[in-house]
Amino acid sequence: MDTIRNRVGEVYEPFKVRFLEREIHALADDEVLVRVRASAICGSDLHIARGLHPSAPLPVTIGHEFSGDVTAVGGGVDNVRVGQRVTVEPCIVCGKCDACRHGDYGYCEHISFTYRNGDGAMADYVVVKAPYVYELPEYLTYETGALIEPLSVATHAVRRAQVALGETVLIIGAGAIGMMVAAMCRRSGAAQVIIADFSDSRLEMALQVGATIAINSGRADLEQEVARLTGGKGVDKSFECVGRESCFLQAIMTLRRNGTATVVGIYEKPQVTFPAGRLVTHEIRIQGAQGYCWDFPIAIAAARDLPLEKFVTHTFPLEQLQQALNTALDRGSKSIKVIVKP
């Protein structure tokens, strides 16, 4: 492979971006070089941009929701070929620990993600491991293909929650992940999908992609509204997709007896306080959901019937990464997914 110079956008201080040039190394036998065509800004990227992500200290190259073209492959790669349109599962696992050997790579003792190592897709090229590269079907564009990663996060959360036919669920937070959780809950058979947020525009969008009831929790008491809607019983399943203590409390206090809360949000302030007696009196379960494990193929199949293009509200060229981040951070922009195109 000829020497390739890679333009990389790096967040070096909170809210500040600079561009660097790096040389791409010779590919290992199991590596694939992808020419990035679309890279979406994720909520975790915004945590990084604030300098508050617990696992990705600055400086770091962000971007792990992306699609592109296979430009080169290592000698042992046989699952993709040069020229294919692809998306990538950006996890890094050891393949040797007990979890990996049992196929549960999502629980790898050494799990990480490409952006945590600074190998982000806000760049012209990115080098990835072949087993985690998936061909894009014809019904996905580069832009919607970049959204398979967050859709896989939502898929994983819904699968972990074991949402069942006829259940009532509550999603707290109508960001992209929350809305995708709503969509996947409906696909899983939930009869009532309640979503709560402070933004009317996001709530309206959520109703278009799967939610059945929207509550502006800035104007209404969420616990009281859920009690009213469920005849005082509470919801079967709740999803916390924000990462705040107040939302964590709502997620557990709105559950019916024997309900399950799934925590998806990233907590910049990691400590929360809640009434522990609720665990006993209501026999509720609290669990987390991080990343994905065998969820990408399911998300790709589900995407055929989901209007993922509705999530893309802004598009910028790579050289305007700073403006793209500013837009994603600006509540007034009403952005949902901001796409950067090298």
Side-chain angles (χ1 to χ4, degrees), residues 240 242-252 267 269-274:
E240 197 289 303
V242 179
R244 292 181 183 170
E245 181 178 288
S246 59
C247 298
F248 181 93
L249 288 169
Q250 289 171 334
I252 64 172
Y267 284 72
K269 296 179 180 179
Q271 302 300 319
V272 299
T273 301
F274 67 95

Side-chain angles (χ1 to χ4, degrees), residues 138-160:
E138 51 84 23
Y139 54 81
L140 290 173
T141 64
Y142 288 118
E143 290 80 8
T144 55
L147 302 187
I148 292 300
E149 195 274 351
L151 185 60
S152 297
V153 172
T155 299
H156 184 69
V158 173
R159 290 178 70 203
R160 273 189 55 70

Side-chain angles (χ1 to χ4, degrees), residues 32-39 65-73 77 79-89 126 128-130 132-137 140-148 296 300:
V32 175
L33 178 64
V34 176
R35 175 73 167 91
V36 180
R37 297 298 184 186
S39 184
E65 304 177 356
F66 67 99
S67 65
D69 300 319
V70 175
T71 301
V73 298
V77 175
N79 62 310
V80 292
R81 64 182 184 278
V82 172
Q84 280 186 314
R85 298 186 321 125
V86 296
T87 189
V88 176
E89 184 175 355
V126 64
V128 296
K129 295 294 186 180
Y132 305 101
V133 180
Y134 295 86
E135 183 179 9
L136 287 182
L140 290 173
T141 64
Y142 288 118
E143 290 80 8
T144 55
L147 302 187
I148 292 300
F296 258 65
I300 289 171

Side-chain angles (χ1 to χ4, degrees), residues 311-340:
F311 289 89
V312 180
T313 55
H314 298 77
T315 303
F316 293 88
L318 179 59
E319 53 268 24
Q320 292 181 18
L321 177 57
Q322 183 72 64
Q323 294 95 310
L325 275 175
N326 293 344
T327 299
L329 285 162
D330 179 12
R331 291 181 180 272
S333 71
K334 296 186 178 179
S335 65
I336 298 173
K337 271 299 176 184
V338 177
I339 297 282
V340 175

Side-chain angles (χ1 to χ4, degrees), residues 79-116:
N79 62 310
V80 292
R81 64 182 184 278
V82 172
Q84 280 186 314
R85 298 186 321 125
V86 296
T87 189
V88 176
E89 184 175 355
C91 61
I92 301 171
V93 297
C94 71
K96 300 176 182 179
C97 69
D98 188 66
C100 284
R101 287 164 62 100
H102 282 83
D104 295 324
Y105 65 90
Y107 301 130
C108 172
E109 295 172 14
H110 310 285
I111 193 166
S112 187
F113 298 88
T114 54
Y115 68 94
R116 294 184 183 179

